[in-house]
Amino acid sequence: MTDDGNTRPRATCRVCGDGLEQFLDLGEQPISQAFVEPGADAEEFFFPLVVGVCTGCAMVQLLHDVPRDRMFHHDYPFYSSSSQAMQEYFAGVAREFLDTDLTGDRPFLVEIGCNDGVLLRTIKDAGVRHLGFEPSGGVADVARARGIRVRGDFFEERTAKEVCAAEGTADVIYSANTLCHIPYLDSVFRGVDALLAPDGVFVFEDPYLGDVVAQTSFDQIYDEHFYLWSAESVQATARRFGFELVDVRRLPVHGGEVRFTLARAGRRTPTPAVAALVAEERQRRLSSIDTLRGFAANVARVRDDLVRTLTDLRERGRRVVGYGATAKSATVLNLCGIGPDLVEFICDTTPDKHGKLTPGQHIPIRPAEAFADPYPDYALLFAWNHAAEIMAKERAFTASGGRWLRYVPDVHVV
Ligand code: SAM
C-alpha cells in the first residue's frame, strides 16, 4: 500500500514523472523496525519491496511506499547516539559547519530528522541557533532533554514555511540518513526553497547507490530507504527545483554514503568533485538497467549462499546468534526466510527491542549480555556498518574460538 492507499506498483518516477523500470524484487516485507511483542495477535503489515530506476532522471526508488506514520511514531526504536563512533562522527560534522557556514551574524541551522540530537548537541553547546525536525516522539524527547530545540513534525513544505515565518531563513539545512526516507521529495524541496537563505546550503548524506551496487549491500534497501541516490540523480533533482549540486563527498559511515551539498542555482561554484563523481558513474554505467540487473543477480547469489551456509551450520550442530537487530536485518531475514531455526536469537543494545521478536520472521531479541552467555559458535553480523566498533568490543568472542559470519559483499567467515 502506498501513501495514497494504492496497492499497485508505481509506474512513474516520484520526482520527474518519467517511466520506471523494475530491476529488483525483495519480496513481501514487514515494517523494518516494527518489532513484535511475543503473543501479540495484531496482524503484521507487509508490503512488496520492489525497486526500479527512472528512465528520465536515473533516480533509483521503491515502487511502493509505506504510510509514514507506520514507520515514524512515538516508539520508533532507532537512537542515533547508541553508537559511540557515530556520536564522534556527528560532533565532527557539527564542528565543520560551525567553522564554515555558521560564522555569520546570528546563524541558524535546521536539521531534518534530528533524532536524539546526536548532531545538534554540539551546535547547541556552541550557542548557535538551531531547530531539529523530528516526528518520532520518543527520540525527540531525548533530544529535548538535552536542551535541544525540536519541532515534533515531519519536514515538508507547510512546516518549513511556518518555521521561516516565525524564525527567518536558515543558513544551513542539514539531514543525515533521513532525506532518502522521504518519498514526497517535491514537498521537501519546496520547503527548502522557502526556508533556505539566498546563499545558504542544503546538505544531506545517505547511503550511496554506487556503494550498494559495488558491495551488493541489498540490506540497505527497506521500507525507510525509499531512494538510493547517485550524483547523477541528485544533480537532475536539484536542477528541477532551482538548486545546483555544488559538492559531493564520499563518506565511510554506514557502509558507504555520499554527502551532497546543494545551493541555489548560480550562487556557488561547483567543486571538481561533482563532475568527477558524475563522470565515474557514467563510466561505470551505474544507473543503466544492465548494471542494476547484474546487481539483482548478485543479490540472488548472496541470498542462496547465506541460506546454504546457515543450513549447513545447523546440520553440523553449530549455534548461530545474530548481532544487531537492525532495520537492515529485516530485509535479509525476510528475503532469505531465516527464522529461529537457523538463528537462535539476535542480541542488541537497544532496551526497547529486548524481549520482542524481529518483524516477519519472529527471531527473539535479547540484550547484549546474552551474547556471551555462553558465546555461540558463529555470530551473524547484521550491524556490519559498525563492524570495526563491534569487533573491537567483542575481542573475547573471537579469542574464545567464535567466528563472525558476514554477507557483505559476499558470504564469508572471519
Ligand atoms: N539523523 C539521524 C542519524 O543520522 O542517525 C537519524 C536518522 S533516522 C534513520 C531517520 C530519522 O528521520 C528518524 O528519527 C525519523 O523519525 C526522521 N524522519 C522521517 N521522516 C522525516 C521528515 N519528513 N522530517 C523530519 N524527520 C523525519
Side-chain angles (χ1 to χ4, degrees):
M1 186 163 45
T2 62
D3 267 347
D4 52 14
N6 195 347
T7 52
R8 286 196 312 273
R10 172 170 288 280
T12 54
C13 176
R14 279 297 295 233
V15 182
C16 77
D18 273 7
L20 290 172
E21 264 192 288
Q22 177 182 325
F23 61 87
L24 179 64
D25 184 348
L26 294 166
E28 290 290 313
Q29 294 275 347
I31 303 288
S32 60
Q33 306 212 60
F35 300 98
V36 179
E37 290 283 358
D41 51 9
E43 223 176 88
E44 283 182 89
F45 175 91
F46 284 86
F47 73 103
L49 186 57
V50 182
V51 195
V53 61
C54 174
T55 52
C57 69
M59 186 68 82
V60 170
Q61 58 201 275
L62 303 190
L63 302 194
H64 298 261
D65 54 303
V66 170
R68 63 189 187 180
D69 299 316
R70 283 192 177 271
M71 298 182 282
F72 309 116
H73 45 69
H74 190 274
D75 298 325
Y76 182 66
F78 175 74
Y79 288 78
S80 303
S81 299
S82 61
S83 159
Q84 181 64 32
M86 292 313 291
Q87 284 189 39
E88 287 160 20
Y89 170 78
F90 281 117
V93 177
R95 281 195 296 271
E96 200 173 326
F97 282 130
L98 290 169
D99 289 343
T100 53
D101 293 292
L102 296 174
T103 52
D105 188 31
R106 295 200 71 233
F108 183 30
L109 179 143
V110 171
E111 185 178 4
I112 304 174
C114 71
N115 200 270
D116 59 11
V118 69
L119 171 111
L120 288 182
R121 61 198 305 187
T122 306
I123 303 288
K124 183 216 87 179
D125 288 348
V128 166
R129 274 201 310 148
H130 63 272
L131 180 69
F133 274 85
E134 182 45 72
S136 297
V139 294
D141 285 345
V142 174
R144 288 191 189 98
R146 290 173 161 162
I148 291 162
R149 290 187 64 234
V150 181
R151 181 174 168 133
D153 275 322
F154 290 95
F155 183 97
E156 55 195 332
E157 184 177 9
R158 177 185 63 80
T159 52
K161 282 183 169 165
E162 283 174 13
V163 168
C164 188
E167 312 201 27
T169 56
D171 303 283
V172 176
I173 300 178
Y174 173 73
S175 187
N177 307 299
T178 300
L179 206 75
C180 73
H181 296 43
I182 309 181
Y184 39 100
L185 215 50
D186 48 343
S187 174
V188 167
F189 267 91
R190 285 195 299 271
V192 170
D193 192 23
L195 183 56
L196 193 69
D199 284 318
V201 281
F202 175 32
V203 182
F204 57 93
E205 53 191 71
D206 284 302
Y208 174 51
L209 177 67
D211 289 315
V212 171
V213 169
Q215 304 180 97
T216 318
S217 46
F218 63 96
D219 58 348
Q220 294 278 22
I221 302 167
Y222 50 93
D223 54 348
E224 295 177 22
H225 286 182
F226 187 83
Y227 294 108
L228 273 178
W229 315 122
S230 61
E232 191 186 354
S233 64
V234 170
Q235 195 171 50
T237 304
R239 283 193 187 126
R240 198 172 176 80
F241 292 99
F243 292 88
E244 192 171 6
L245 178 60
V246 295
D247 195 28
V248 290
R249 196 189 299 180
R250 303 285 291 265
L251 305 170
V253 293
H254 289 318
E257 301 204 327
V258 168
R259 181 179 304 154
F260 298 97
T261 301
L262 276 55
R264 293 185 188 279
R267 302 305 280 235
R268 294 199 184 196
T269 308
T271 64
V274 175
L277 192 56
V278 171
E280 183 186 316
E281 290 175 0
R282 293 212 172 120
Q283 202 257 332
R284 282 176 69 183
R285 304 190 65 244
L286 178 61
S287 307
S288 79
I289 194 68
D290 291 345
T291 301
L292 296 170
R293 286 195 179 128
F295 164 66
N298 289 338
V299 173
R301 179 178 46 75
V302 172
R303 176 198 62 200
D304 294 348
D305 284 354
L306 185 57
V307 173
R308 198 178 310 115
T309 303
L310 288 170
T311 308
D312 179 56
L313 290 173
R314 181 184 57 193
E315 280 164 9
R316 290 197 284 125
R318 301 291 190 271
R319 277 185 71 223
V320 181
V321 157
Y323 201 106
T326 57
K328 288 200 280 293
S329 69
T331 300
V332 181
L333 295 172
N334 289 286
L335 174 70
C336 301
I338 298 169
D341 55 326
L342 292 175
V343 173
E344 192 179 312
F345 64 86
I346 301 180
C347 57
D348 195 283
T349 52
T350 311
D352 287 359
K353 299 180 190 171
H354 299 158
K356 294 190 179 154
L357 309 171
T358 62
Q361 290 297 325
H362 296 188
I363 299 176
I365 304 170
R366 304 228 175 108
E369 300 75 55
F371 185 52
D373 188 25
Y375 281 129
D377 300 302
Y378 290 83
L380 179 53
L381 185 59
F382 291 116
W384 57 267
N385 49 316
H386 298 297
E389 190 177 359
I390 291 169
M391 286 175 166
K393 185 175 139 200
E394 302 290 1
R395 271 198 207 96
F397 166 58
T398 34
S400 76
R403 312 287 301 273
W404 293 101
L405 176 56
R406 302 186 59 174
Y407 53 84
V408 176
D410 49 25
V411 178
H412 61 287
V413 169
V414 284

